[in-house]
Amino acid sequence: MPSDQRPPLTDRTALRKHRARARARRAPALFLHEDVLDEVQERLAEVNRTFTRPAIVTGFPEFWQRAFPDARVVEDTDTLDLEPGAHDLVIHALALHWANDPVGQLIQSRRALCPDGLFLGMAYGGQSLQELRQCLGSAEAELRGGMSPRVAPMGEIRDLGALLQRAGFALPVADSWRRDVLYPSPLGLMWDLRAMGETNALTGRARSFTPRAVIMRAIELYALTFARPDGRIAATAEIIALTGWAPAEDQPKPLRPGSAAARLADALNTDEVKLPGDGSD
């Protein structure tokens, strides 16, 4: 099938349904959004800048609007409802893993920034839910002879960092942190994913209910493989933070290779060891 005719990764109708169901709960499981909000606020406090025209891209607008009441909050649709150059800050909040075109999301975010505007993207990284992916895949392969898509693909830090450069951001930086979430059993994790609006919305997902035998075998494998000494199981949540700036003429520029005015060896008070073929004599 030609690349321009491939089905989209995400079934947006199913995704909206799952998110709406989570948001309608008395207590949706948004603890990872709370973690990310704390991180965003801490990073903004470290920037010597007051942002007056923020925009936030998210699938959970009520949560983020409460935190940033003056922000324009938009859904993470394929085409973002943001005006070019209208914002000095864009936050992309835990939605990039559902994007049909991740680099397109970043390009649109950059275009929505005024010169020297800041982009903060918080995305689930590739280690997230690695335990659940492994156990569901093994259970399905064992009992059904194959695997179907069940967990949205999540990028590795190097790949997501490269997307910042492709999107045209200046001074791009990618870093990450990891949180292990503990549950009495794998069923607690599965219920939390439902309360997060993060159940399977992949276009290529199986449309029939997963057989009970597959779920029970996955739970058994999870407990056998990932149980802690106290009997609880861990689920990994990796968050990758993407930082970049809309290009501007007065921004700092990287130094040209070889233009340093001082040697690192002098700063460290040590001897410099020249490598073969260094050419710096």
Side-chain angles (χ1 to χ4, degrees), residues 39-44 47 51 55-57 68 89-94 106 109 113 117-123 164 169 173 175 240-245:
E39 185 70 23
V40 165
Q41 291 174 328
E42 184 176 324
R43 291 175 186 240
L44 291 177
V47 178
F51 297 99
I56 302 173
V57 180
F68 293 88
L89 170 67
V90 172
I91 299 169
H92 206 295
L94 293 182
L106 300 186
S109 297
L113 288 167
L118 174 63
F119 172 78
L120 283 177
M122 297 290 172
L164 282 173
F169 283 103
V173 176
D175 63 278
I240 297 177
L242 304 174
T243 306
W245 296 83

PDB file of all heavy atoms in Angstrom, residues 39-44 47 51 55-57 68 89-94 106 109 113 117-123 164 169 173 175 240-245:
ATOM      1  N   GLU A  39       6.571  18.991  37.024  1.00  0.00           N
ATOM      2  CA  GLU A  39       7.838  19.140  36.293  1.00  0.00           C
ATOM      3  C   GLU A  39       7.803  20.357  35.387  1.00  0.00           C
ATOM      4  O   GLU A  39       8.781  21.118  35.306  1.00  0.00           O
ATOM      5  CB  GLU A  39       8.102  17.868  35.485  1.00  0.00           C
ATOM      6  CG  GLU A  39       9.444  17.842  34.777  1.00  0.00           C
ATOM      7  CD  GLU A  39      10.623  17.700  35.731  1.00  0.00           C
ATOM      8  OE1 GLU A  39      10.425  17.202  36.860  1.00  0.00           O
ATOM      9  OE2 GLU A  39      11.739  18.085  35.334  1.00  0.00           O
ATOM     10  N   VAL A  40       6.695  20.563  34.697  1.00  0.00           N
ATOM     11  CA  VAL A  40       6.568  21.728  33.821  1.00  0.00           C
ATOM     12  C   VAL A  40       6.700  23.015  34.623  1.00  0.00           C
ATOM     13  O   VAL A  40       7.436  23.951  34.235  1.00  0.00           O
ATOM     14  CB  VAL A  40       5.216  21.688  33.072  1.00  0.00           C
ATOM     15  CG1 VAL A  40       4.902  23.048  32.451  1.00  0.00           C
ATOM     16  CG2 VAL A  40       5.252  20.614  31.987  1.00  0.00           C
ATOM     17  N   GLN A  41       6.011  23.101  35.741  1.00  0.00           N
ATOM     18  CA  GLN A  41       6.063  24.315  36.552  1.00  0.00           C
ATOM     19  C   GLN A  41       7.465  24.558  37.094  1.00  0.00           C
ATOM     20  O   GLN A  41       7.930  25.704  37.163  1.00  0.00           O
ATOM     21  CB  GLN A  41       5.034  24.230  37.679  1.00  0.00           C
ATOM     22  CG  GLN A  41       3.598  24.300  37.167  1.00  0.00           C
ATOM     23  CD  GLN A  41       2.563  24.083  38.254  1.00  0.00           C
ATOM     24  OE1 GLN A  41       2.793  23.344  39.205  1.00  0.00           O
ATOM     25  NE2 GLN A  41       1.404  24.719  38.112  1.00  0.00           N
ATOM     26  N   GLU A  42       8.156  23.491  37.463  1.00  0.00           N
ATOM     27  CA  GLU A  42       9.523  23.633  37.950  1.00  0.00           C
ATOM     28  C   GLU A  42      10.444  24.132  36.845  1.00  0.00           C
ATOM     29  O   GLU A  42      11.279  25.022  37.073  1.00  0.00           O
ATOM     30  CB  GLU A  42      10.015  22.295  38.494  1.00  0.00           C
ATOM     31  CG  GLU A  42      11.404  22.349  39.107  1.00  0.00           C
ATOM     32  CD  GLU A  42      11.812  21.029  39.728  1.00  0.00           C
ATOM     33  OE1 GLU A  42      10.930  20.349  40.288  1.00  0.00           O
ATOM     34  OE2 GLU A  42      13.007  20.683  39.654  1.00  0.00           O
ATOM     35  N   ARG A  43      10.279  23.609  35.643  1.00  0.00           N
ATOM     36  CA  ARG A  43      11.133  24.041  34.534  1.00  0.00           C
ATOM     37  C   ARG A  43      10.837  25.479  34.128  1.00  0.00           C
ATOM     38  O   ARG A  43      11.753  26.244  33.806  1.00  0.00           O
ATOM     39  CB  ARG A  43      10.968  23.089  33.346  1.00  0.00           C
ATOM     40  CG  ARG A  43      11.556  21.712  33.615  1.00  0.00           C
ATOM     41  CD  ARG A  43      11.293  20.712  32.501  1.00  0.00           C
ATOM     42  NE  ARG A  43      11.757  19.393  32.877  1.00  0.00           N
ATOM     43  CZ  ARG A  43      12.688  18.691  32.202  1.00  0.00           C
ATOM     44  NH1 ARG A  43      13.237  19.194  31.119  1.00  0.00           N
ATOM     45  NH2 ARG A  43      13.048  17.493  32.632  1.00  0.00           N
ATOM     46  N   LEU A  44       9.578  25.849  34.140  1.00  0.00           N
ATOM     47  CA  LEU A  44       9.235  27.230  33.803  1.00  0.00           C
ATOM     48  C   LEU A  44       9.790  28.197  34.835  1.00  0.00           C
ATOM     49  O   LEU A  44      10.202  29.319  34.491  1.00  0.00           O
ATOM     50  CB  LEU A  44       7.721  27.382  33.687  1.00  0.00           C
ATOM     51  CG  LEU A  44       7.060  26.677  32.502  1.00  0.00           C
ATOM     52  CD1 LEU A  44       5.543  26.861  32.546  1.00  0.00           C
ATOM     53  CD2 LEU A  44       7.609  27.195  31.171  1.00  0.00           C
ATOM     54  N   VAL A  47      13.289  29.253  34.043  1.00  0.00           N
ATOM     55  CA  VAL A  47      13.502  30.094  32.861  1.00  0.00           C
ATOM     56  C   VAL A  47      13.263  31.547  33.257  1.00  0.00           C
ATOM     57  O   VAL A  47      12.232  31.891  33.818  1.00  0.00           O
ATOM     58  CB  VAL A  47      12.537  29.691  31.722  1.00  0.00           C
ATOM     59  CG1 VAL A  47      12.723  30.614  30.514  1.00  0.00           C
ATOM     60  CG2 VAL A  47      12.770  28.242  31.328  1.00  0.00           C
ATOM     61  N   PHE A  51       5.794  34.223  30.718  1.00  0.00           N
ATOM     62  CA  PHE A  51       5.038  33.833  29.532  1.00  0.00           C
ATOM     63  C   PHE A  51       3.602  34.327  29.688  1.00  0.00           C
ATOM     64  O   PHE A  51       2.929  34.021  30.670  1.00  0.00           O
ATOM     65  CB  PHE A  51       5.079  32.315  29.351  1.00  0.00           C
ATOM     66  CG  PHE A  51       6.464  31.781  29.113  1.00  0.00           C
ATOM     67  CD1 PHE A  51       7.199  31.222  30.158  1.00  0.00           C
ATOM     68  CD2 PHE A  51       7.049  31.856  27.859  1.00  0.00           C
ATOM     69  CE1 PHE A  51       8.468  30.739  29.951  1.00  0.00           C
ATOM     70  CE2 PHE A  51       8.335  31.378  27.632  1.00  0.00           C
ATOM     71  CZ  PHE A  51       9.051  30.816  28.686  1.00  0.00           C
ATOM     72  N   ALA A  55      -0.083  28.204  25.289  1.00  0.00           N
ATOM     73  CA  ALA A  55      -1.024  27.263  24.671  1.00  0.00           C
ATOM     74  C   ALA A  55      -0.653  25.863  25.134  1.00  0.00           C
ATOM     75  O   ALA A  55       0.531  25.564  25.348  1.00  0.00           O
ATOM     76  CB  ALA A  55      -0.981  27.352  23.155  1.00  0.00           C
ATOM     77  N   ILE A  56      -1.667  25.016  25.295  1.00  0.00           N
ATOM     78  CA  ILE A  56      -1.440  23.652  25.766  1.00  0.00           C
ATOM     79  C   ILE A  56      -2.182  22.686  24.856  1.00  0.00           C
ATOM     80  O   ILE A  56      -3.363  22.893  24.550  1.00  0.00           O
ATOM     81  CB  ILE A  56      -1.914  23.471  27.219  1.00  0.00           C
ATOM     82  CG1 ILE A  56      -1.182  24.464  28.136  1.00  0.00           C
ATOM     83  CG2 ILE A  56      -1.674  22.042  27.697  1.00  0.00           C
ATOM     84  CD1 ILE A  56      -1.690  24.483  29.548  1.00  0.00           C
ATOM     85  N   VAL A  57      -1.475  21.640  24.427  1.00  0.00           N
ATOM     86  CA  VAL A  57      -2.046  20.590  23.586  1.00  0.00           C
ATOM     87  C   VAL A  57      -2.221  19.353  24.461  1.00  0.00           C
ATOM     88  O   VAL A  57      -1.250  18.830  25.019  1.00  0.00           O
ATOM     89  CB  VAL A  57      -1.115  20.275  22.392  1.00  0.00           C
ATOM     90  CG1 VAL A  57      -1.732  19.178  21.518  1.00  0.00           C
ATOM     91  CG2 VAL A  57      -0.836  21.530  21.573  1.00  0.00           C
ATOM     92  N   PHE A  68      -3.437  26.241  34.167  1.00  0.00           N
ATOM     93  CA  PHE A  68      -3.066  27.414  33.381  1.00  0.00           C
ATOM     94  C   PHE A  68      -4.354  28.085  32.899  1.00  0.00           C
ATOM     95  O   PHE A  68      -4.736  27.950  31.729  1.00  0.00           O
ATOM     96  CB  PHE A  68      -2.199  27.011  32.184  1.00  0.00           C
ATOM     97  CG  PHE A  68      -0.841  26.479  32.556  1.00  0.00           C
ATOM     98  CD1 PHE A  68      -0.648  25.126  32.830  1.00  0.00           C
ATOM     99  CD2 PHE A  68       0.260  27.330  32.630  1.00  0.00           C
ATOM    100  CE1 PHE A  68       0.600  24.632  33.170  1.00  0.00           C
ATOM    101  CE2 PHE A  68       1.510  26.845  32.961  1.00  0.00           C
ATOM    102  CZ  PHE A  68       1.690  25.498  33.236  1.00  0.00           C
ATOM    103  N   LEU A  89       4.612  30.354  24.529  1.00  0.00           N
ATOM    104  CA  LEU A  89       4.850  29.066  25.177  1.00  0.00           C
ATOM    105  C   LEU A  89       3.835  28.062  24.653  1.00  0.00           C
ATOM    106  O   LEU A  89       2.633  28.357  24.614  1.00  0.00           O
ATOM    107  CB  LEU A  89       4.695  29.206  26.700  1.00  0.00           C
ATOM    108  CG  LEU A  89       4.680  27.904  27.519  1.00  0.00           C
ATOM    109  CD1 LEU A  89       6.045  27.217  27.467  1.00  0.00           C
ATOM    110  CD2 LEU A  89       4.286  28.184  28.973  1.00  0.00           C
ATOM    111  N   VAL A  90       4.320  26.890  24.233  1.00  0.00           N
ATOM    112  CA  VAL A  90       3.444  25.774  23.863  1.00  0.00           C
ATOM    113  C   VAL A  90       3.872  24.553  24.657  1.00  0.00           C
ATOM    114  O   VAL A  90       5.047  24.168  24.638  1.00  0.00           O
ATOM    115  CB  VAL A  90       3.499  25.471  22.351  1.00  0.00           C
ATOM    116  CG1 VAL A  90       2.721  24.189  22.042  1.00  0.00           C
ATOM    117  CG2 VAL A  90       2.942  26.629  21.535  1.00  0.00           C
ATOM    118  N   ILE A  91       2.917  23.961  25.366  1.00  0.00           N
ATOM    119  CA  ILE A  91       3.146  22.738  26.128  1.00  0.00           C
ATOM    120  C   ILE A  91       2.368  21.615  25.457  1.00  0.00           C
ATOM    121  O   ILE A  91       1.161  21.731  25.256  1.00  0.00           O
ATOM    122  CB  ILE A  91       2.676  22.892  27.585  1.00  0.00           C
ATOM    123  CG1 ILE A  91       3.441  24.022  28.289  1.00  0.00           C
ATOM    124  CG2 ILE A  91       2.841  21.577  28.357  1.00  0.00           C
ATOM    125  CD1 ILE A  91       2.852  24.412  29.632  1.00  0.00           C
ATOM    126  N   HIS A  92       3.053  20.544  25.095  1.00  0.00           N
ATOM    127  CA  HIS A  92       2.405  19.356  24.515  1.00  0.00           C
ATOM    128  C   HIS A  92       2.406  18.291  25.594  1.00  0.00           C
ATOM    129  O   HIS A  92       3.453  17.765  25.967  1.00  0.00           O
ATOM    130  CB  HIS A  92       3.170  18.890  23.275  1.00  0.00           C
ATOM    131  CG  HIS A  92       2.333  18.141  22.290  1.00  0.00           C
ATOM    132  ND1 HIS A  92       1.765  16.917  22.570  1.00  0.00           N
ATOM    133  CD2 HIS A  92       1.969  18.441  21.019  1.00  0.00           C
ATOM    134  CE1 HIS A  92       1.093  16.495  21.501  1.00  0.00           C
ATOM    135  NE2 HIS A  92       1.193  17.400  20.544  1.00  0.00           N
ATOM    136  N   ALA A  93       1.219  17.982  26.150  1.00  0.00           N
ATOM    137  CA  ALA A  93       1.127  17.268  27.416  1.00  0.00           C
ATOM    138  C   ALA A  93       0.651  15.827  27.265  1.00  0.00           C
ATOM    139  O   ALA A  93      -0.556  15.566  27.161  1.00  0.00           O
ATOM    140  CB  ALA A  93       0.194  18.023  28.366  1.00  0.00           C
ATOM    141  N   LEU A  94       1.586  14.884  27.237  1.00  0.00           N
ATOM    142  CA  LEU A  94       1.305  13.441  27.299  1.00  0.00           C
ATOM    143  C   LEU A  94       0.309  12.977  26.243  1.00  0.00           C
ATOM    144  O   LEU A  94      -0.598  12.188  26.530  1.00  0.00           O
ATOM    145  CB  LEU A  94       0.805  13.062  28.699  1.00  0.00           C
ATOM    146  CG  LEU A  94       1.825  13.196  29.835  1.00  0.00           C
ATOM    147  CD1 LEU A  94       1.214  12.731  31.153  1.00  0.00           C
ATOM    148  CD2 LEU A  94       3.096  12.413  29.537  1.00  0.00           C
ATOM    149  N   LEU A 106       5.016  18.525  16.208  1.00  0.00           N
ATOM    150  CA  LEU A 106       6.082  19.426  16.650  1.00  0.00           C
ATOM    151  C   LEU A 106       6.219  20.625  15.710  1.00  0.00           C
ATOM    152  O   LEU A 106       6.432  21.758  16.163  1.00  0.00           O
ATOM    153  CB  LEU A 106       7.402  18.668  16.743  1.00  0.00           C
ATOM    154  CG  LEU A 106       7.436  17.483  17.718  1.00  0.00           C
ATOM    155  CD1 LEU A 106       8.840  16.923  17.819  1.00  0.00           C
ATOM    156  CD2 LEU A 106       6.942  17.889  19.090  1.00  0.00           C
ATOM    157  N   SER A 109       3.489  22.991  16.453  1.00  0.00           N
ATOM    158  CA  SER A 109       3.755  23.671  17.720  1.00  0.00           C
ATOM    159  C   SER A 109       4.784  24.785  17.520  1.00  0.00           C
ATOM    160  O   SER A 109       4.635  25.884  18.076  1.00  0.00           O
ATOM    161  CB  SER A 109       4.254  22.668  18.761  1.00  0.00           C
ATOM    162  OG  SER A 109       3.269  21.698  19.048  1.00  0.00           O
ATOM    163  N   LEU A 113       4.476  29.326  17.745  1.00  0.00           N
ATOM    164  CA  LEU A 113       5.288  30.145  18.634  1.00  0.00           C
ATOM    165  C   LEU A 113       5.752  31.415  17.942  1.00  0.00           C
ATOM    166  O   LEU A 113       6.077  31.418  16.744  1.00  0.00           O
ATOM    167  CB  LEU A 113       6.510  29.359  19.105  1.00  0.00           C
ATOM    168  CG  LEU A 113       6.260  28.225  20.108  1.00  0.00           C
ATOM    169  CD1 LEU A 113       7.496  27.352  20.231  1.00  0.00           C
ATOM    170  CD2 LEU A 113       5.851  28.784  21.464  1.00  0.00           C
ATOM    171  N   GLY A 117      10.019  31.832  21.265  1.00  0.00           N
ATOM    172  CA  GLY A 117       9.037  31.187  22.127  1.00  0.00           C
ATOM    173  C   GLY A 117       9.505  29.805  22.525  1.00  0.00           C
ATOM    174  O   GLY A 117      10.305  29.166  21.831  1.00  0.00           O
ATOM    175  N   LEU A 118       9.011  29.310  23.640  1.00  0.00           N
ATOM    176  CA  LEU A 118       9.471  28.056  24.229  1.00  0.00           C
ATOM    177  C   LEU A 118       8.470  26.933  23.989  1.00  0.00           C
ATOM    178  O   LEU A 118       7.264  27.105  24.174  1.00  0.00           O
ATOM    179  CB  LEU A 118       9.673  28.235  25.740  1.00  0.00           C
ATOM    180  CG  LEU A 118      10.029  26.978  26.558  1.00  0.00           C
ATOM    181  CD1 LEU A 118      11.362  26.388  26.119  1.00  0.00           C
ATOM    182  CD2 LEU A 118      10.054  27.308  28.047  1.00  0.00           C
ATOM    183  N   PHE A 119       8.998  25.781  23.606  1.00  0.00           N
ATOM    184  CA  PHE A 119       8.204  24.554  23.487  1.00  0.00           C
ATOM    185  C   PHE A 119       8.636  23.583  24.571  1.00  0.00           C
ATOM    186  O   PHE A 119       9.829  23.315  24.754  1.00  0.00           O
ATOM    187  CB  PHE A 119       8.410  23.908  22.119  1.00  0.00           C
ATOM    188  CG  PHE A 119       7.762  22.542  21.992  1.00  0.00           C
ATOM    189  CD1 PHE A 119       6.392  22.422  21.787  1.00  0.00           C
ATOM    190  CD2 PHE A 119       8.525  21.388  22.085  1.00  0.00           C
ATOM    191  CE1 PHE A 119       5.799  21.170  21.679  1.00  0.00           C
ATOM    192  CE2 PHE A 119       7.941  20.132  21.969  1.00  0.00           C
ATOM    193  CZ  PHE A 119       6.569  20.030  21.768  1.00  0.00           C
ATOM    194  N   LEU A 120       7.649  23.047  25.307  1.00  0.00           N
ATOM    195  CA  LEU A 120       7.878  21.976  26.273  1.00  0.00           C
ATOM    196  C   LEU A 120       6.972  20.812  25.898  1.00  0.00           C
ATOM    197  O   LEU A 120       5.742  20.924  25.967  1.00  0.00           O
ATOM    198  CB  LEU A 120       7.562  22.433  27.697  1.00  0.00           C
ATOM    199  CG  LEU A 120       8.572  23.324  28.416  1.00  0.00           C
ATOM    200  CD1 LEU A 120       8.033  23.737  29.783  1.00  0.00           C
ATOM    201  CD2 LEU A 120       9.910  22.610  28.579  1.00  0.00           C
ATOM    202  N   GLY A 121       7.564  19.720  25.480  1.00  0.00           N
ATOM    203  CA  GLY A 121       6.787  18.529  25.151  1.00  0.00           C
ATOM    204  C   GLY A 121       7.051  17.435  26.175  1.00  0.00           C
ATOM    205  O   GLY A 121       8.206  17.092  26.437  1.00  0.00           O
ATOM    206  N   MET A 122       5.985  16.937  26.767  1.00  0.00           N
ATOM    207  CA  MET A 122       6.106  15.841  27.719  1.00  0.00           C
ATOM    208  C   MET A 122       5.449  14.606  27.108  1.00  0.00           C
ATOM    209  O   MET A 122       4.239  14.621  26.826  1.00  0.00           O
ATOM    210  CB  MET A 122       5.435  16.207  29.042  1.00  0.00           C
ATOM    211  CG  MET A 122       6.071  17.396  29.736  1.00  0.00           C
ATOM    212  SD  MET A 122       7.716  16.984  30.372  1.00  0.00           S
ATOM    213  CE  MET A 122       8.288  18.612  30.893  1.00  0.00           C
ATOM    214  N   ALA A 123       6.231  13.565  26.888  1.00  0.00           N
ATOM    215  CA  ALA A 123       5.740  12.401  26.144  1.00  0.00           C
ATOM    216  C   ALA A 123       6.121  11.122  26.872  1.00  0.00           C
ATOM    217  O   ALA A 123       7.170  11.040  27.520  1.00  0.00           O
ATOM    218  CB  ALA A 123       6.334  12.396  24.736  1.00  0.00           C
ATOM    219  N   LEU A 164      12.799  16.911  17.307  1.00  0.00           N
ATOM    220  CA  LEU A 164      12.898  18.343  17.597  1.00  0.00           C
ATOM    221  C   LEU A 164      13.723  19.053  16.531  1.00  0.00           C
ATOM    222  O   LEU A 164      13.360  20.145  16.071  1.00  0.00           O
ATOM    223  CB  LEU A 164      13.542  18.563  18.968  1.00  0.00           C
ATOM    224  CG  LEU A 164      12.681  18.370  20.216  1.00  0.00           C
ATOM    225  CD1 LEU A 164      13.550  18.471  21.457  1.00  0.00           C
ATOM    226  CD2 LEU A 164      11.559  19.395  20.270  1.00  0.00           C
ATOM    227  N   PHE A 169      13.354  23.304  15.617  1.00  0.00           N
ATOM    228  CA  PHE A 169      13.563  24.018  16.875  1.00  0.00           C
ATOM    229  C   PHE A 169      15.033  24.362  17.062  1.00  0.00           C
ATOM    230  O   PHE A 169      15.927  23.596  16.686  1.00  0.00           O
ATOM    231  CB  PHE A 169      13.094  23.174  18.061  1.00  0.00           C
ATOM    232  CG  PHE A 169      11.603  23.143  18.236  1.00  0.00           C
ATOM    233  CD1 PHE A 169      10.857  22.034  17.852  1.00  0.00           C
ATOM    234  CD2 PHE A 169      10.938  24.237  18.766  1.00  0.00           C
ATOM    235  CE1 PHE A 169       9.486  22.012  18.014  1.00  0.00           C
ATOM    236  CE2 PHE A 169       9.556  24.221  18.929  1.00  0.00           C
ATOM    237  CZ  PHE A 169       8.828  23.116  18.547  1.00  0.00           C
ATOM    238  N   VAL A 173      16.704  20.047  23.316  1.00  0.00           N
ATOM    239  CA  VAL A 173      17.192  19.204  24.410  1.00  0.00           C
ATOM    240  C   VAL A 173      16.128  18.152  24.714  1.00  0.00           C
ATOM    241  O   VAL A 173      14.932  18.463  24.756  1.00  0.00           O
ATOM    242  CB  VAL A 173      17.474  20.028  25.689  1.00  0.00           C
ATOM    243  CG1 VAL A 173      17.884  19.103  26.839  1.00  0.00           C
ATOM    244  CG2 VAL A 173      18.561  21.068  25.437  1.00  0.00           C
ATOM    245  N   ASP A 175      15.460  15.014  27.601  1.00  0.00           N
ATOM    246  CA  ASP A 175      15.887  14.276  28.784  1.00  0.00           C
ATOM    247  C   ASP A 175      14.701  13.462  29.282  1.00  0.00           C
ATOM    248  O   ASP A 175      13.586  13.603  28.766  1.00  0.00           O
ATOM    249  CB  ASP A 175      16.425  15.207  29.870  1.00  0.00           C
ATOM    250  CG  ASP A 175      15.370  16.175  30.376  1.00  0.00           C
ATOM    251  OD1 ASP A 175      15.136  17.213  29.718  1.00  0.00           O
ATOM    252  OD2 ASP A 175      14.772  15.900  31.432  1.00  0.00           O
ATOM    253  N   ILE A 240       9.537  11.471  28.762  1.00  0.00           N
ATOM    254  CA  ILE A 240      10.585  12.172  28.023  1.00  0.00           C
ATOM    255  C   ILE A 240      10.178  13.630  27.882  1.00  0.00           C
ATOM    256  O   ILE A 240       9.063  13.935  27.447  1.00  0.00           O
ATOM    257  CB  ILE A 240      10.817  11.535  26.644  1.00  0.00           C
ATOM    258  CG1 ILE A 240      11.321  10.097  26.816  1.00  0.00           C
ATOM    259  CG2 ILE A 240      11.800  12.360  25.822  1.00  0.00           C
ATOM    260  CD1 ILE A 240      11.507   9.348  25.518  1.00  0.00           C
ATOM    261  N   ALA A 241      11.068  14.517  28.293  1.00  0.00           N
ATOM    262  CA  ALA A 241      10.829  15.953  28.207  1.00  0.00           C
ATOM    263  C   ALA A 241      11.572  16.509  26.997  1.00  0.00           C
ATOM    264  O   ALA A 241      12.787  16.329  26.866  1.00  0.00           O
ATOM    265  CB  ALA A 241      11.295  16.650  29.477  1.00  0.00           C
ATOM    266  N   LEU A 242      10.849  17.152  26.117  1.00  0.00           N
ATOM    267  CA  LEU A 242      11.408  17.755  24.910  1.00  0.00           C
ATOM    268  C   LEU A 242      11.354  19.271  25.059  1.00  0.00           C
ATOM    269  O   LEU A 242      10.283  19.833  25.298  1.00  0.00           O
ATOM    270  CB  LEU A 242      10.618  17.321  23.678  1.00  0.00           C
ATOM    271  CG  LEU A 242      10.484  15.812  23.451  1.00  0.00           C
ATOM    272  CD1 LEU A 242       9.545  15.543  22.284  1.00  0.00           C
ATOM    273  CD2 LEU A 242      11.845  15.188  23.199  1.00  0.00           C
ATOM    274  N   THR A 243      12.497  19.918  24.914  1.00  0.00           N
ATOM    275  CA  THR A 243      12.579  21.370  25.048  1.00  0.00           C
ATOM    276  C   THR A 243      13.206  21.955  23.805  1.00  0.00           C
ATOM    277  O   THR A 243      14.228  21.454  23.314  1.00  0.00           O
ATOM    278  CB  THR A 243      13.428  21.762  26.277  1.00  0.00           C
ATOM    279  OG1 THR A 243      12.911  21.121  27.432  1.00  0.00           O
ATOM    280  CG2 THR A 243      13.411  23.265  26.490  1.00  0.00           C
ATOM    281  N   GLY A 244      12.602  22.995  23.277  1.00  0.00           N
ATOM    282  CA  GLY A 244      13.153  23.678  22.110  1.00  0.00           C
ATOM    283  C   GLY A 244      12.617  25.098  22.044  1.00  0.00           C
ATOM    284  O   GLY A 244      11.619  25.437  22.688  1.00  0.00           O
ATOM    285  N   TRP A 245      13.281  25.922  21.258  1.00  0.00           N
ATOM    286  CA  TRP A 245      12.896  27.321  21.117  1.00  0.00           C
ATOM    287  C   TRP A 245      12.613  27.634  19.660  1.00  0.00           C
ATOM    288  O   TRP A 245      13.282  27.114  18.758  1.00  0.00           O
ATOM    289  CB  TRP A 245      14.016  28.233  21.619  1.00  0.00           C
ATOM    290  CG  TRP A 245      14.302  28.085  23.080  1.00  0.00           C
ATOM    291  CD1 TRP A 245      15.093  27.140  23.669  1.00  0.00           C
ATOM    292  CD2 TRP A 245      13.776  28.883  24.144  1.00  0.00           C
ATOM    293  NE1 TRP A 245      15.106  27.304  25.028  1.00  0.00           N
ATOM    294  CE2 TRP A 245      14.314  28.372  25.358  1.00  0.00           C
ATOM    295  CE3 TRP A 245      12.918  29.987  24.190  1.00  0.00           C
ATOM    296  CZ2 TRP A 245      14.011  28.926  26.593  1.00  0.00           C
ATOM    297  CZ3 TRP A 245      12.626  30.538  25.426  1.00  0.00           C
ATOM    298  CH2 TRP A 245      13.157  30.019  26.610  1.00  0.00           C
TER     299      TRP A 245
END
